[in-house]
Amino acid sequence: MTALLEVEDLRVAYGKIEAVKGISFTANQGEVTTLIGTNGAGKTTTLRTISGLLRPTGGSITFDGQALHAVPAHRIVSLGLAHSPEGRHIFPRMTIEENLLLGAFLRRDPAGVTEDVERAYTLFPILGERRRQAAGTLSGGEQQMLAMGRALMSRPKLLMLDEPSMGLSPLMMQKITATIVELKAAGTTILLVEQNAQAALSLSDHGYVMETGRIVLTGTGADLLHDESVRKAYLGED
Ligand code: ATP
């Protein structure tokens, strides 16, 4: 397996408070890798650091053979890394289509961009039906689809999804899960952050369990799903 992303001994602090305390993990080419953990474990901080939005206080991040620590956030997208953030961050007054096009702002191939907008509408038909409406009129789940669609518009090698299931109905969650499986089949490498461990681990090749800034357990998705401590802590079993 080739590692597309390699994180080594990563440390991130907010002032004096260290939120990520020396974690190491990899996301292999063509696989789905998941970080699970409860509120405040440091998952979002980790993704924001990989994206260049936060600076690490220690350790290294290597993406596609290149060290990321000196690369500014806007350049990181052009290397092939896209981030669909927690809380979605869509632009509510802009149309759905304008939001999608923002994800392609670095591209200089209009024909390819048009093709990918259509691909997003095939993946999420509701977005196509409402393409000229303000994005703020979408439901939470639909906004999540838009955030994913927008992240895909840069044709990323690595797609990072922060809690895509948050606040979604079971039906919407199934749709998002199916989309992740579809994206993986099309060759996209995915790094997923989730509190909803059951759904995430069942579609993951590898998983890492984070607790208060550290990785405390790792294994295949199936291993972790069957692990007793994971079942107790994350799947609500006694
Ligand atoms: P959640 O699922 O709730 O987002 P998480 O695992 O993603 O949890 P983080 O958001 O990365 O966790 O937070 C890790 C720790 O860092 C928490 O203790 C949090 O309170 C703290 N933290 C996060 N953002 C900031 C900030 N801007 N300033 C100070 N502390 C922060």
Side-chain angles (χ1 to χ4, degrees):
M1 272 299 154
T2 323
L4 181 60
L5 176 77
E6 272 184 288
V7 170
E8 254 193 62
D9 200 20
L10 183 71
R11 290 176 181 274
V12 192
Y14 296 103
K16 284 186 184 152
I17 299 166
E18 196 167 51
V20 174
K21 302 170 181 166
I23 63 167
S24 302
F25 67 92
T26 56
N28 288 331
Q29 186 86 46
E31 291 191 348
V32 178
T33 304
T34 298
L35 305 179
I36 62 167
T38 48
N39 268 329
K43 308 178 300 295
T44 298
T45 301
T46 303
L47 289 199
R48 289 175 61 81
T49 308
I50 297 169
S51 283
L53 301 170
L54 295 171
R55 289 280 157 214
T57 44
S60 67
I61 304 169
T62 311
F63 175 67
D64 209 11
Q66 189 171 345
L68 286 192
H69 66 268
V71 181
H74 67 275
R75 282 261 305 123
I76 287 179
V77 176
S78 68
L79 296 178
L81 208 150
H83 184 178
S84 175
E86 186 179 30
R88 301 169 190 122
H89 296 283
I90 58 138
F91 293 90
R93 286 166 198 270
M94 293 171 73
T95 67
I96 286 156
E97 189 147 310
E98 287 164 347
N99 269 275
L100 281 177
L101 290 170
L102 280 177
F105 72 101
L106 287 173
R107 289 175 59 179
R108 296 286 172 268
D109 59 329
V113 170
T114 306
E115 205 177 283
D116 285 357
V117 168
E118 290 309 318
R119 191 174 67 127
Y121 294 154
T122 308
L123 213 50
F124 303 115
I126 187 79
L127 300 182
E129 286 160 27
R130 297 176 58 182
R131 63 183 78 184
R132 312 251 173 266
Q133 290 182 26
T137 65
L138 294 172
S139 75
E142 291 159 357
Q143 290 187 22
Q144 182 59 55
M145 292 174 184
L146 179 56
M148 267 175 89
R150 185 180 57 190
L152 286 169
M153 288 299 298
S154 61
R155 290 198 185 174
K157 292 177 192 154
L158 177 71
L159 175 64
M160 301 197 295
L161 301 170
D162 197 347
E163 301 218 18
S165 75
M166 189 166 55
L168 298 194
S169 66
L171 194 68
M172 281 290 188
M173 255 188 68
Q174 273 176 25
K175 172 71 189 157
I176 297 288
T177 304
T179 306
I180 293 172
V181 171
E182 217 173 298
L183 292 171
K184 179 189 165 180
T188 308
T189 305
I190 294 167
L191 178 60
L192 188 60
V193 153
E194 267 295 351
Q195 285 191 53
N196 187 326
Q198 177 86 50
L201 291 176
S202 31
L203 57 82
S204 295
D205 297 284
H206 280 93
Y208 296 85
V209 180
M210 276 188 86
E211 268 171 28
T212 55
R214 293 195 169 83
I215 288 172
V216 293
L217 195 63
T218 173
T220 66
D223 285 345
L224 294 181
L225 260 184
H226 295 113
D227 182 274
E228 202 177 326
S229 64
V230 171
R231 299 190 73 84
K232 276 192 185 150
Y234 299 98
L235 306 176
E237 293 189 0
D238 299 325

